[in-house]
Amino acid sequence: MSSYPDLHLYINGEWRKAANDLPVLNPATEEEIGRLPHADKSDLDDALAAAETGFKVWSKVPPVERANVLLKAAAIMRERQEEIATAITAEHGKPLAQARLEVIRGCEFFEWDAGEATRTYGRVIPSAQGVRYIVHHQPIGTVAAFSPWNFPMSQPCRKVAGAIASGCSIILKAAEETPAGALHIARALHDAGLPPGVLNLVFGTPAEISDYLIKNDQVRLVAFTGSTAVGKHLTTLAAQHMTPVLMELGGHAPVIVCEDTDVEAAAISGAFRKMRNAGQVCTSPTRFFVHADIFDKYTEAFVRRAAETVVGNGVDPGVEMGPLANDRRVEALAGLVEDAVAQGAELRTGGNRLGGKGYFFEPTVLANVPDAARVMQEEPFGPLAIINPVTSLDDGIEKANSVPYGLAAYGFTNRADYVDRMVEGIEAGNVSINTLEASLPETPFGGVKSSGYGREGGTEGLHNYMITKNVIHSFSIV
Ligand code: NAD
């Protein structure tokens, strides 16, 4: 695609190529669309040195000026929305309309954190005469951040915005499959006047880069979004250096559908939202626990809407769902479906790879899935829904909590007492009622259990990127 950007590393305010590069593929066509430079150790050393200098400069820039740079960069990205969205669709496969929304969501993360930059208040603690106790927040230092391929723009935006708003410097390793979103973020910040070294963007072999950066004591925060397995590995590496982590990991979101809800509307909403981003979303609704009284009606409406999903190349008008990001995901989904059916699950629609070029998989619904099926515990991270009956709300809550994950959870009901029981009883960082939206710039997003640690967004978001310093000031020597 002609508008796909020429890919570079961005270190110390300069664009550079690398000795090695590897192809970036369009998952809808499997064609090469770009060559991605892979950083070696000398590039990483340069990024570390630049981030050290960048931090010294940026941490002293007044918050309101940091906010202005973020706001200017967001305005630039809004102007470039079409160019960025086209690149995202080419490298990720999602429909262009979803890519356009993602660009705007990335800008909103910048805009929210720009505001928050000016509100990282400390406090004065009441004290005796002659002494003052002050709580003061300071930027933590150099951040090593790792963003995934499922949202090439909005995922890195979150981490970059948090670091820059707080006064940190950041070395971002964005996903190798989808580098264009992060590249556009760096371009916008460069054009907005961000000083050299504050943001450094690298790509390469993920394990080599994370290992090299995390072992360096200059790195004061490790921020990662991705799978729980990798998150645990990076947390273990960071623990050797007592480096704090911000971990946004996997989910296996339950949806409890109560007997009093509008069945048709809830089913259509569920099927539509399930297929967003081809289900490759950590908050994707996946385990639908539907009251037995409405189970048949709900499942029928859900399957009908899921089967109607228009699947194709994201650039084609009317397409609702693109390909999966890579061949690994296709194989993973096929394996989960095969196992579930072998365990006795009913395959109500889909279940197969679509023929021809590209990593396409059918919108898939499994019903009455036994607990022994792998998919009941493993996050499918694809267009696969499980619909199982439950006998009561308590039964639904117990099943919702029966996985190691606790990221997003959803409920459909009009009863206030049911809402209260779900809010109190579900183990998750985010609970949404009558909507399948779980994350906004102004709300704190993150998980419990194996879904992670820390929060992004809301007034909580910048706390990860700052230290709390307790200051005791006696007015005379005691
Ligand atoms: P994976 O576990 O191989 O990789 C997940 C992400 O981590 C990728 O972006 C990858 O580049 C990165 N990564 C892998 N090893 C790393 C390392 N040692 N250091 C730093 N980064 C590393 O899985 P995958 O096949 O790419 O993706 C599938 C799984 O990833 C899914 O099951 C899902 O749980 C998870 N995932 C989650 C999110 C999310 O938003 N939470 C996003 C993307 C992927």
Side-chain angles (χ1 to χ4, degrees), residues 49-330:
E52 191 163 25
T53 312
F55 178 65
K56 283 184 185 139
V57 173
W58 193 241
S59 56
K60 295 186 178 56
V61 169
V64 74
E65 287 179 32
R66 290 184 223 142
N68 284 340
V69 170
L70 281 171
L71 292 173
K72 194 166 171 193
I76 292 169
M77 293 191 290
R78 283 179 183 272
E79 274 170 25
R80 297 176 185 167
Q81 181 192 16
E82 202 58 25
E83 184 189 354
I84 303 173
T86 306
I88 289 175
T89 292
E91 66 184 10
H92 179 277
K94 67 182 69 186
L96 204 45
Q98 290 180 26
R100 289 187 186 113
L101 289 175
E102 186 187 333
V103 175
I104 298 303
R105 179 49 58 92
C107 296
E108 289 168 353
F109 288 143
F110 267 45
E111 290 153 0
W112 173 262
D113 277 348
E116 283 303 290
T118 64
R119 292 190 285 269
T120 54
Y121 305 126
R123 67 188 196 274
V124 176
I125 296 174
S127 59
Q129 290 288 312
V131 64
R132 197 72 87 198
Y133 306 144
I134 299 168
V135 178
H136 178 52
H137 299 297
Q138 288 180 309
I140 197 166
T142 298
V143 178
F146 304 88
S147 61
W149 44 261
N150 58 340
F151 289 98
M153 174 84 182
S154 61
Q155 294 271 25
C157 268
R158 267 205 141 143
K159 291 180 172 33
V160 169
I164 289 180
S166 310
C168 298
S169 60
I170 176 168
I171 303 171
L172 171 67
K173 190 211 75 65
E176 284 67 34
E177 291 97 330
T178 58
L183 187 100
H184 273 291
I185 295 168
R187 272 189 188 170
L189 281 162
H190 182 89
D191 294 348
L194 187 73
V198 181
L199 167 66
N200 302 278
L201 175 63
V202 297
F203 305 98
T205 306
E208 284 176 14
I209 295 181
S210 57
D211 195 63
Y212 197 72
L213 293 181
I214 295 170
K215 282 185 178 154
N216 192 309
D217 284 330
Q218 181 194 326
V219 168
R220 299 295 176 85
L221 173 71
V222 177
F224 172 75
T225 297
S227 63
T228 294
V230 174
K232 285 183 177 172
H233 170 65
L234 299 188
T235 301
T236 305
L237 287 180
Q240 307 307 312
H241 301 260
M242 289 308 287
T243 306
V245 297
L246 170 59
M247 290 283 149
E248 300 293 359
L249 307 178
H252 202 331
V255 183
I256 300 178
V257 187
C258 301
E259 66 280 9
D260 67 290
T261 199
D262 178 339
V263 179
E264 182 87 11
I268 288 169
S269 158
F272 182 73
R273 189 73 180 193
K274 173 70 249 184
M275 304 312 159
R276 172 177 164 252
N277 219 39
Q280 302 166 119
V281 188
C282 49
T283 58
S284 187
T286 297
R287 296 175 298 136
F288 293 80
F289 296 117
V290 182
H291 193 279
D293 290 354
I294 56 167
F295 178 78
D296 289 342
K297 189 176 172 193
Y298 182 92
T299 307
E300 189 269 323
F302 192 112
V303 169
R304 184 173 10 97
R305 181 63 186 88
E308 281 169 11
T309 308
V310 182
V311 182
N313 189 324
V315 291
D316 293 335
V319 164
E320 293 177 305
M321 189 179 103
L324 301 184
N326 51 47
D327 230 0
R328 293 196 303 282
R329 299 279 1 112
V330 176

